[in-house]
Amino acid sequence: MEIKFIGTGSGKTSLKRFHSSLLFLSEGYHLLVDSGDGISRALLSQNVPYNSINGILISHLHPDHFSGLSALIIQMKLTQRTNILDIFIHESLVEEVKDFIYHSYIFNERTHFKINYIPLVYDKTYIVDKNFSFIAKQNTHLDTYKAYGRAKEISFSCSSFLFTLNSIKVHYTGDIGAAEDIKLFKDINTDILISEISHIDIQDVLSASKFLNIKKLILTHISDENEQMILNINNIQSENRNTEIISAYDGFSIYV
Ligand SMILES: [Zn+2]
Ligand SMILES: [Zn+2]
């Protein structure tokens, strides 16, 4: 099973990296995690055919994780897609996503494929394919927004995910808000941690990996400004002897 990094950039648009997105390729199912601005171009640049994607899992609605969705669906239509597209999104955001698609003038009658919305509930296991499942948990990434605007009317759901691939456990933080979010799945023995490093201090990521006894730590959501710090990875490596630390780049893959 392959995990391909389609984008590894932060929320800042960059000429070096696309916004953060992962593609899980199991034998019978290809799951794209997040579809931010520019996702269609990111997939094109990595020779991933749009219609090889069976489903899209969305962590939250920040534009670097979500706003490319309707553009990607249009590309699927333009490339004659016929197979069903699953969209996994927290139950509190389903209607917003449907509206966004609808208001992008994507109507069922005009596409030759069905969009199947799968409303997510936290802490429930979703089986995607044989030997491929995930669970989602709420993190604190959007908590600070709760004081603003029409906060009571909208959902601040933001998910971190634990994927099980064969028997390997992979925790993808998505965007998080605090060091404690890295320990959301602490009760489950995690092998691989894929962590963002834009909203969290690298030292917190390292100490959490040590605490969780992570074998492989992969850093993503890297801004151009953060790149230099990541380049000092060799110094970081020596402090966490039991953890292999990798700085991801667009097109990077791991096999589990
Ligand atoms: Zn982000
Ligand atoms: Zn975000």
Side-chain angles (χ1 to χ4, degrees), residues 9-12 19-20 34 59-60 62-65 141 174-175 196 198-199 221:
S10 71
K12 278 189 182 175
H19 294 306
S20 285
D34 284 339
S59 64
H60 67 303
H62 262 148
D64 57 320
H65 297 261
H141 177 55
D175 282 4
E196 68 117 321
S198 288
H199 308 93
H221 209 285

Side-chain angles (χ1 to χ4, degrees), residues 141-157:
H141 177 55
L142 302 177
D143 280 8
T144 50
Y145 295 162
K146 287 179 181 169
Y148 298 108
R150 293 157 52 202
K152 281 198 180 72
E153 298 165 34
I154 65 173
S155 163
F156 290 99
S157 166

Side-chain angles (χ1 to χ4, degrees), residues 8-126:
T8 55
S10 71
K12 278 189 182 175
T13 300
S14 163
L15 291 174
K16 295 182 187 169
R17 296 167 190 264
F18 286 102
H19 294 306
S20 285
S21 176
L22 299 171
L23 182 62
F24 287 78
L25 300 127
S26 73
E27 213 177 290
Y29 200 96
H30 294 180
L31 180 71
L32 183 70
V33 182
D34 284 339
S35 54
D37 183 34
I39 186 65
S40 304
R41 203 173 153 84
L43 291 163
L44 197 62
S45 75
Q46 291 187 36
N47 299 313
V48 177
Y50 304 125
N51 296 331
S52 67
I53 295 165
N54 300 98
I56 303 171
L57 168 62
I58 296 160
S59 64
H60 67 303
L61 301 193
H62 262 148
D64 57 320
H65 297 261
F66 167 66
S67 75
L69 181 65
S70 61
L72 176 55
I73 293 173
I74 293 287
Q75 302 317 307
M76 289 172 169
K77 178 184 182 290
L78 293 174
T79 47
Q80 324 302 329
R81 185 183 184 102
T82 52
N83 51 322
I84 290 176
L85 175 69
D86 294 328
I87 296 182
F88 299 85
I89 177 83
H90 187 260
E91 57 176 356
S92 64
L93 295 170
V94 173
E95 289 311 312
E96 282 74 3
V97 173
K98 277 185 179 170
D99 271 2
F100 175 65
I101 301 299
Y102 192 75
H103 288 281
S104 304
Y105 315 110
I106 298 168
F107 307 122
N108 285 340
E109 299 88 335
R110 295 195 68 241
T111 52
H112 296 288
F113 60 96
K114 200 179 156 252
I115 299 175
N116 177 37
Y117 291 91
I118 299 157
L120 299 182
V121 175
Y122 289 130
D123 296 308
K124 189 178 157 187
T125 300
Y126 292 87

